[in-house]
Amino acid sequence: MGKTYVFVNQKGGVGKTTSALNIGAYLAEEGKKVLLVDFDAQANLSSGVGAKPPKPGIYELISGTTTVDQAIKKTAISNLDVIPANIDLSGAAVELIGQEDRDLFLKKALAPVKSRYDFILIDCPPSLGVLTLNGMAAADAVLIPMQCEYFAMEGLSLLLQTIQRIQRSLNKSLTIGGIFFTMYDPRTRLAQDVVKQVSAYFKKAVFKTIIPRNVRLSEAPSYGQPIVLYDPNCPGAKAYHSLALEIMKRARGAGNDA
């Protein structure tokens, strides 16, 4: 049985989608079978791997109008599949409000394929709404990308409170898979201080690898490519490769065969 991670941060622009995309690509490059799940109506993860057609996708899957096998698309990277999103997902939050077990739709939808993959990576919207709650209910662990700035530290406290509520109610086995820093600029004192403070407080929960601010990482999605295809030698690519290896190591340590 593989491991399911959900990437969560209620703050936008922290590199959440970029991280899900590139970590997934490097896990696949390491020979692991990986499924990316785009659970954000902006569909940036889908476009980042050139997923076509976007329908049927995750909206059609959770609404019961397609099967999981029909929703899964291949990508240009061997072992890397994706369930894409499209704009229809924007209405899902409203549609789910009145449904019974509204926070468990994604978990039920992914259940038939969980045993096929070593890793399932879920990218959620930058909010703590019903879609993100579905993501956390479906996951084994939460991965938290964190930008090196003051407000990110404030948001982390709120996010951890939400995770604790999910652990008490929807998903008692949910764990924090780890915190990692993105868009790091070593020239700024603030970035250095944030890394130091968060690392001191959360200790082993913080990954050693830090993702630097890198223009090539920003360019790659516009070409529908993960960084491993666009520019595998840039600093951002090397950092994401290192982070993927750390995640693999932690997964094995948690009793996972991946």
Side-chain angles (χ1 to χ4, degrees):
M1 183 69 72
K3 197 164 184 74
T4 302
Y5 289 105
V6 60
F7 290 75
V8 178
N9 195 312
Q10 72 273 28
K11 187 177 184 300
V14 300
K16 180 173 52 61
T17 300
T18 298
S19 298
L21 166 65
N22 289 305
I23 290 168
Y26 275 112
L27 289 172
E29 286 285 306
E30 290 293 324
K32 304 303 178 185
K33 288 188 65 64
V34 181
L35 176 64
L36 300 174
V37 180
D38 192 346
F39 212 43
D40 186 345
Q42 296 180 80
N44 291 332
L45 181 64
S46 304
S47 60
V49 290
K52 295 178 182 179
K55 294 183 181 182
I58 194 64
Y59 172 76
E60 290 75 21
L61 178 58
I62 64 171
S63 63
T65 60
T66 195
T67 66
V68 68
D69 286 313
Q70 291 172 326
I72 292 173
K73 310 290 190 290
K74 297 291 184 184
T75 73
I77 294 178
S78 178
N79 293 323
L80 183 66
D81 296 341
V82 62
I83 300 181
N86 57 65
I87 192 62
D88 293 342
L89 187 61
S90 60
V94 176
E95 294 171 16
L96 289 174
I97 291 297
Q99 299 290 324
E100 186 177 355
D101 294 330
R102 65 182 184 184
D103 297 322
L104 300 176
F105 273 67
L106 183 61
K107 181 177 182 177
K108 294 174 182 177
L110 296 178
V113 296
K114 187 160 184 179
S115 62
R116 295 189 206 169
Y117 293 94
D118 297 309
F119 292 93
I120 297 177
L121 307 182
I122 305 168
D123 183 36
C124 290
S127 70
L128 296 178
V130 67
L131 295 183
T132 298
L133 296 182
N134 263 263
M136 288 195 278
D140 299 307
V142 180
L143 292 176
I144 305 172
M146 184 173 173
Q147 198 172 354
C148 300
E149 60 178 39
Y150 175 74
F151 289 118
M153 294 178 65
E154 285 193 331
L156 182 59
S157 175
L158 176 61
L159 176 56
L160 293 176
Q161 291 174 28
T162 301
I163 293 172
Q164 289 171 354
R165 289 200 299 271
I166 296 297
Q167 290 169 327
R168 288 194 297 266
S169 56
L170 292 173
N171 188 352
K172 292 180 171 58
S173 61
L174 184 68
T175 62
I176 295 176
I179 301 167
F180 60 93
F181 300 104
T182 62
M183 304 179 190
Y184 178 71
D185 185 346
R187 297 171 299 180
T188 67
R189 178 65 178 271
L190 177 60
Q192 296 175 32
D193 288 346
V194 169
V195 169
K196 184 176 180 180
Q197 291 180 41
V198 174
S199 299
Y201 187 79
F202 291 99
K203 298 180 172 61
K204 291 183 179 180
V206 179
F207 287 100
K208 294 178 182 177
T209 303
I210 296 176
I211 308 301
R213 189 175 291 278
N214 183 210
V215 68
R216 303 297 276 176
L217 287 174
S218 302
E219 293 172 352
S222 64
Y223 291 88
Q225 294 181 334
I227 196 65
V228 66
L229 296 181
Y230 183 68
D231 188 352
N233 295 314
C234 73
K238 294 176 181 177
Y240 272 119
H241 189 192
S242 176
L243 183 55
L245 293 176
E246 273 199 81
I247 289 170
M248 285 174 56
K249 183 177 180 180
R250 287 198 185 187
R252 288 194 297 268
N256 184 281
D257 293 333

